[in-house]
Amino acid sequence: VQLVESGGGLVQAGGSLRLSCAASGFTFANYSIAWFRHAPGKEREGVGCIGISTDKTYFADSAKGRFFLSSDKAENTVYLHMNSLRPEDTAVYYCAAGIALCSDYVPEVDEYEYWGQGTQVTVSS
């Protein structure tokens, strides 16, 4: 099982980034993919999730209206589209795969079995 994130980088406040999570080694359609972030001095927090078979998404309040998720089932890839970025969005972003359904709550770390290595997002003011 492998999850590989890409697309992080340095962006000015108000800008946009698209993160990718390429998955392999498991039946993509059976899983939900969640994004988490970990900023220095803070706990890892859920950003949002997408059910691959349902296309249902859910976002933390900090991301609602600014971040969006999409999936390319043919490529086993999930995209996190981040708009109107703020300095407080600066963190290492991780994607994770889990059997748990993406439901109406912020994804929780212990519900996701497989994790990527993370990609750094830095938003300058």
Side-chain angles (χ1 to χ4, degrees):
V1 174
Q2 192 172 25
L3 296 170
V4 179
E5 303 98 334
S6 61
L10 174 65
V11 64
Q12 288 189 328
S16 299
L17 280 175
R18 187 186 76 167
L19 304 184
S20 301
C21 174
S24 60
F26 60 96
T27 305
F28 192 59
N30 291 348
Y31 281 72
S32 295
I33 301 293
W35 286 89
F36 296 83
R37 66 186 183 186
H38 193 184
K42 297 184 179 180
E43 292 187 357
R44 188 171 299 195
E45 64 174 353
V47 174
C49 59
I50 182 168
I52 299 305
S53 61
T54 63
D55 288 326
K56 176 180 172 58
T57 61
Y58 190 84
F59 292 92
D61 287 345
S62 59
K64 283 178 182 175
R66 299 188 300 127
F67 293 5
F68 303 90
L69 280 163
S70 62
S71 67
D72 183 336
K73 297 174 181 61
E75 296 294 329
N76 284 8
T77 300
V78 166
Y79 300 100
L80 176 64
H81 308 261
M82 305 189 295
N83 303 309
S84 302
L85 284 162
R86 306 165 179 165
E88 53 265 38
D89 294 317
T90 295
V92 177
Y93 283 72
Y94 299 87
C95 68
I99 288 290
L101 294 175
C102 177
S103 189
D104 294 324
Y105 59 89
V106 177
E108 298 177 358
V109 170
D110 58 5
E111 290 185 328
Y112 288 82
E113 299 108 283
Y114 307 120
W115 290 76
Q117 82 288 351
T119 185
Q120 176 70 46
V121 171
T122 302
V123 184
S124 63
S125 58

